[in-house]
Amino acid sequence: MLDAARTDEALLEVNNVEVIYNHVILVLKGVSLNVRKGGITALLGGNGAGKTTTLKAISNLLHSERGEVTKGSIVYKGERVQDLDPSALVKRGVIQVMEGRHCFQHLTVEENLMTGAYTRRDGRGAVDADLEMVYTYFPRLKERRRSQAGYTSGGEQQMTAVGRALMSRPEMILLDEPSMGLAPQLVEQIFEIVKSINENEGVSFLLAEQNTNVALRYAHQGYILENGRIVMEGTASELRENADVKEFYLGVSDEGRKSFRDVRSYRRRKRWLA
Amino acid sequence: MLRDIFITPFVDMVEAPDFLMQVLWEGLVSGVLYALIALGFVLIFRSSRILNFAQGIMVVFAALTLVGLHAMGLPAWIAVAATLAVMFVLAVTIERVVLRPLVGQPDIILFMATIGITLFLIGLGETIFGGENKVMITGELGIPTGDTVLEPFGGLLILQHLDITVVLVAVALVGALLAFLNYTRMGRAIRALGDDHQAALSVGISLQTIWVLVWFIAGIIALVTGIAWGARAGVSFALEVIAYKALPVLMLGGLESITGAIVGGLMIGVLEKIFEIYWGQPLLGGNTEAWFAFVLALIVLLFRPQGLFGERIIERV
């Protein structure tokens, strides 16, 4: 949590990464992206586009799912990190919040948060101070601190998962699909908190989202992933104004608003992937 | 006949409460040891989904090592420390050589691997220390051997000092384990890993560290139970059997539940003793302790497949 100022300096560089599952299934076909220091970068795309795989390739959680980075490089602060194990990466300040929250169900909310500090060696006092910091961002969690996480609501679990990541004192959080299964109001609330964590604590975010609309309102940069390839990139405002993005992801086109359902996916494949 | 089953035993219990207390006490002594061993199983199962078949032989191996090292001239307490070191090396070796290469394999493969560990330890133990029965170094460890005679209800209750020590040590160890699991960073990590492997990895918990830790805890438990049981029955490979008594405890208590292991262990210890004395010996010719626990566990399984205390599956709708 260094200076909150956003810079153009790349904190994380993903260069032409290819990922294969089970030695045969090619999921990422050469993905390149940069995450700027102090910014929120959105990774957008539909189901199966490769968003989660990209995040797991970075955090090195692929191995436990028989996935492998077969080409390309992942560089964090000038260091190649793709051969490190997840815990070494957490110690360097990169932590992932997985899709579907993944709270420890039988642990209390507070115990969940404390597991986030597992890799820290800076003493009890600093950890307790950060626990209070997490509770100021998520007052709801303080009320629920003694409840078993499995019995809390989806929104509270998402807060717990983000708070848990925050407890590791990260410089960068890989946030996978925070809007999943949450009511629109709650989604908005979670994104507001992400924004304030970004601004106040200087934590950079790489955010995988299907909810293009919300994500582009809060992100600074964006990448669109389609079928294992980056098909478009730019600042969030550029992407918001882009005609294709409007048509394919926001459901708005020159002919007026229409349902995403009517935008045949082969059209965007044809236009982008040909 | 019906009278012998349903009335006489209870009449006996009421008429000789001192004897009933004696039976309960002896059941409790076995019970705490079952509970301790079951805890070793539960910790390993929760953090790696392995049913550790080798727990039994670890008891024998720890006891043999202790007696063997003492026979080589080490003072008793130094031998205990050295045995703990051996159990730690064993834990590291098992993680390195057996568990790590098998990560992600089906559970049954890992279970088979623990059978392999069992056979290996039997061979290793016999080669180094020989296969003959040995006497546990009870006196050298300063474990008292006398007994205290109480006279409740004008009767007689004999408490072996050995048994008292065993109960106190086992209770202290269980208490220490619970405190460790609930209030320390490592303990939390062990429980977290049992809940969600992926999430544990994502916050930087290292599987390898936790595995070494739980196998080492199983090793400590093995040593304590090995000393306790060895002091009564001598140190031989037959001790292995007592660890299998932990299996019905697990069925009863649930494979994942720490409370279940403790309560299940005590229940089986006490119930099998009562059954043996009041029903087994008069009606079935005795020696029911060998099978009672298993039958009880089977009956429980019929009605509650997750065990009496199987961790509640949290399901939100």
Side-chain angles (χ1 to χ4, degrees):
Chain A
M1 308 191 193
L2 304 165
D3 51 319
R6 250 184 321 131
T7 63
D8 284 347
E9 185 194 338
L11 189 60
L12 177 85
E13 292 170 59
V14 175
N15 299 314
N16 203 24
V17 160
E18 183 179 281
V19 169
I20 296 184
Y21 280 107
N22 269 330
H23 303 292
V24 283
I25 307 163
L26 179 64
V27 178
L28 296 189
K29 303 161 185 169
V31 167
S32 301
L33 56 86
N34 285 337
V35 177
R36 290 185 190 179
K37 194 175 160 130
I40 299 178
T41 304
L43 188 57
L44 306 166
N47 277 332
K51 303 186 297 296
T52 298
T53 302
T54 307
L55 294 197
K56 287 192 170 170
I58 298 169
S59 63
N60 275 323
L61 288 172
L62 276 184
H63 291 292
S64 58
E65 299 183 341
R66 298 166 160 269
E68 219 184 332
V69 175
T70 46
K71 263 189 212 160
S73 68
I74 299 172
V75 177
Y76 174 71
K77 285 184 165 178
E79 181 193 11
R80 251 175 85 105
V81 290
Q82 68 224 59
D83 302 318
L84 298 177
D85 57 23
S87 84
L89 219 56
V90 173
K91 282 179 201 153
R92 281 169 176 71
V94 183
I95 192 163
Q96 177 162 5
V97 177
M98 282 188 290
E99 181 178 3
R101 300 31 125 176
H102 281 270
C103 292
F104 302 118
Q105 307 237 314
H106 295 94
L107 271 60
T108 65
V109 167
E110 185 155 299
E111 285 176 330
N112 265 278
L113 297 177
M114 291 301 286
T115 56
Y118 177 81
T119 53
R120 287 172 61 171
R121 293 282 181 276
D122 52 356
R124 193 68 207 239
V127 172
D128 285 347
D130 281 358
L131 190 61
E132 277 314 308
M133 184 257 299
V134 169
Y135 284 144
T136 47
Y137 283 109
F138 303 103
R140 183 76 189 131
L141 293 187
K142 189 159 193 171
E143 292 165 34
R144 303 284 270 146
R145 61 205 283 190
R146 307 253 172 260
S147 316
Q148 279 198 331
Y151 288 114
T152 59
S153 74
E156 286 159 352
Q157 293 194 16
Q158 186 65 61
M159 294 177 190
T160 306
V162 175
R164 184 174 68 190
L166 212 47
M167 287 299 290
S168 71
R169 268 192 173 263
E171 286 192 52
M172 178 168 152
I173 294 180
L174 308 167
L175 185 53
D176 198 354
E177 205 85 26
S179 73
M180 193 172 94
L182 300 184
Q185 209 183 0
L186 212 50
V187 172
E188 211 65 45
Q189 197 187 338
I190 299 263
F191 272 84
E192 278 297 331
I193 295 170
V194 165
K195 187 178 161 204
S196 61
I197 291 172
N198 170 253
E199 286 168 0
N200 303 336
E201 313 293 334
V203 178
S204 314
F205 280 86
L206 176 57
L207 178 81
E209 251 309 340
Q210 294 203 32
N211 190 334
T212 313
N213 179 19
V214 181
L216 284 182
R217 270 192 289 119
Y218 287 92
H220 307 113
Q221 304 285 319
Y223 289 85
I224 292 179
L225 198 58
E226 182 81 36
N227 205 12
R229 288 194 178 93
I230 299 282
V231 290
M232 197 177 284
E233 60 178 279
T235 64
S237 52
E238 278 165 18
L239 289 177
R240 260 198 314 265
E241 297 310 317
N242 182 289
D244 285 352
V245 174
K246 272 186 175 168
E247 183 181 2
F248 300 149
Y249 291 97
L250 300 173
V252 188
S253 71
D254 298 338
E255 303 113 67
R257 258 186 110 79
K258 60 179 179 180
S259 166
F260 186 74
R261 200 174 48 196
D262 302 329
V263 185
R264 302 265 181 80
S265 70
Y266 76 82
R267 272 185 62 198
R268 65 180 199 265
R269 296 249 160 85
K270 212 162 131 196
R271 205 177 301 177
W272 286 345
L273 300 176
Chain B
M1 180 68 188
L2 280 177
R3 188 185 160 78
D4 289 341
I5 296 176
F6 292 108
I7 300 173
T8 322
F10 297 102
V11 173
D12 288 348
M13 285 182 204
V14 175
E15 280 180 353
D18 57 323
F19 185 62
L20 177 62
M21 282 175 73
Q22 184 78 48
V23 172
L24 287 176
W25 165 250
E26 270 162 29
L28 183 75
V29 176
S30 326
V32 285
L33 290 175
Y34 296 157
L36 206 51
I37 294 190
L39 261 182
F41 272 101
V42 167
L43 287 183
I44 288 183
F45 184 80
R46 280 180 56 105
S47 52
S48 52
R49 302 285 132 186
I50 296 175
L51 186 63
N52 177 19
F53 191 76
Q55 183 77 50
I57 199 65
M58 282 169 73
V59 173
V60 181
F61 188 75
L64 273 181
T65 309
L66 175 63
V67 174
L69 288 175
H70 183 67
M72 286 171 197
L74 288 181
W77 286 103
I78 308 273
V80 169
T83 309
L84 284 178
V86 169
M87 296 318 277
F88 182 72
V89 171
L90 184 68
V92 174
T93 316
I94 287 175
E95 192 276 314
R96 270 296 160 105
V97 179
V98 183
L99 303 180
R100 197 178 295 187
L102 292 179
V103 167
Q105 298 293 331
D107 294 352
I108 188 73
I109 304 279
L110 290 158
F111 176 67
M112 297 303 279
T114 66
I115 296 183
I117 296 172
T118 308
L119 297 176
F120 173 77
L121 285 180
I122 291 178
L124 186 69
E126 274 193 40
T127 312
I128 302 178
F129 303 109
E132 72 279 8
N133 285 8
K134 296 183 181 56
V135 179
M136 178 46 68
I137 49 171
T138 322
E140 290 85 340
L141 286 171
I143 300 172
T145 43
D147 49 40
T148 303
V149 179
L150 300 176
E151 296 182 356
F153 311 109
L156 198 63
L157 177 60
I158 302 168
L159 304 179
Q160 300 280 342
H161 288 170
L162 170 66
D163 289 348
I164 298 177
T165 318
V166 166
V167 169
L168 290 180
V169 170
V171 168
L173 193 55
V174 169
L177 259 178
L178 286 183
F180 172 73
L181 288 173
N182 281 310
Y183 302 112
T184 68
R185 168 175 152 273
M186 276 304 204
R188 249 190 326 260
I190 292 180
R191 288 188 302 136
L193 190 60
D195 262 5
D196 193 326
H197 264 219
Q198 279 272 310
L201 281 174
S202 83
V203 295
I205 292 171
S206 132
L207 294 186
Q208 281 82 21
T209 319
I210 301 293
W211 284 348
V212 168
L213 190 65
V214 291
W215 280 79
F216 180 49
I217 292 175
I220 298 175
I221 289 175
L223 177 60
V224 172
T225 37
I227 294 175
W229 226 277
R232 317 157 135 210
V235 179
S236 70
F237 281 90
L239 274 187
E240 194 189 352
V241 178
I242 73 141
Y244 300 135
K245 270 294 175 60
L247 295 177
V249 171
L250 294 174
M251 291 183 221
L252 197 68
L255 261 174
E256 310 215 332
S257 165
I258 290 161
T259 343
I262 297 168
V263 180
L266 294 178
M267 265 175 72
I268 287 209
V270 169
L271 288 179
E272 73 173 12
K273 206 54 142 201
I274 290 187
F275 185 80
E276 165 74 10
I277 301 291
Y278 291 100
W279 283 272
Q281 284 177 358
L283 297 173
L284 298 165
N287 205 18
T288 58
E289 278 168 288
W291 54 261
F292 174 78
F294 292 90
V295 173
L296 184 66
L298 280 177
I299 295 171
V300 168
L301 277 189
L302 278 179
F303 297 101
R304 275 186 68 88
Q306 75 273 44
L308 284 182
F309 302 89
E311 194 138 75
R312 271 180 77 178
I313 299 157
I314 294 183
E315 219 170 330
R316 295 182 62 255
V317 212

